[in-house]
Every structure is written in structure tokens, then in C-alpha cells.
Amino acid sequence: SQGPAASAWLIKPSDPLSKDPTVLDGLTARNDISLKNTSAAVFGQLTFKITDAFKIQPGFRVNYDKKVSSRDIRAAAPRAHRAAPVRRQ
């Protein structure tokens, strides 16, 4: 939850609201972030003996990566600061 100094730190200084400590006081944000990572790899290598002093060893590697993420962000202002509906005349 934000305190009375939040307005000065989080709102640009040229905005008049940055000088009102009640604007963000009590603002609450809840974040739920999850990340699922799956990785796998296979490696293979062969050796070919050409002569007693010379060998060739080719190899291969296959990688698999899967990443899934989600984020749920909820913010709530104190009841006193919730915006009232705009009425047009």
C-alpha cells in the first residue's frame, strides 16, 4: 500500500497532483506473476579413427526450450479517492 509520500515520488513534478499527498495515499497493488520453464537437450558424438594419430569426432546437440508466463495485476484506490462519474451538462 502506498503512503502519503507516493505522489511526490511517482507523479511527474510538473503535474499539480504530485504536490497532493492524498492522491496515491492508500493505493494498493497486488501482482501475481508466474513463469513455467521447460528445457531439454540431447547430445551425441561419434568418433572416426582415420589413422592411429588422427581421429574425427563430429557431434550434434538439439535443444528444446518452452517458456510460459502469466501476470495478473490488480490495483485498488482507497474509497475516498475513487473517481466519481463525469456528468456533462
Side-chain angles (χ1 to χ4, degrees):
S1 164
Q2 301 293 333
S7 298
W9 287 96
L10 300 174
I11 299 175
K12 65 182 176 179
S14 61
D15 190 322
L17 293 176
S18 70
K19 301 190 182 22
D20 182 353
T22 65
V23 172
L24 297 178
D25 189 18
L27 176 69
T28 302
R30 299 190 192 284
N31 299 307
D32 183 11
I33 300 169
S34 73
L35 175 64
K36 183 177 179 184
N37 183 29
T38 305
S39 296
V42 176
F43 178 77
Q45 179 177 316
L46 300 170
T47 301
F48 296 102
K49 182 177 176 183
I50 306 300
T51 67
D52 286 338
F54 185 70
K55 297 178 192 172
I56 296 178
Q57 291 183 312
F60 66 93
R61 181 181 173 107
V62 178
N63 295 324
Y64 171 80
D65 290 301
K66 180 180 179 184
K67 296 179 182 182
V68 178
S69 65
S70 66
R71 182 172 68 173
D72 182 23
I73 299 174
R74 297 172 191 223
R79 182 171 228 45
H81 297 301
R82 292 191 181 147
V86 176
R87 294 185 186 150
R88 295 189 181 193
Q89 296 178 350

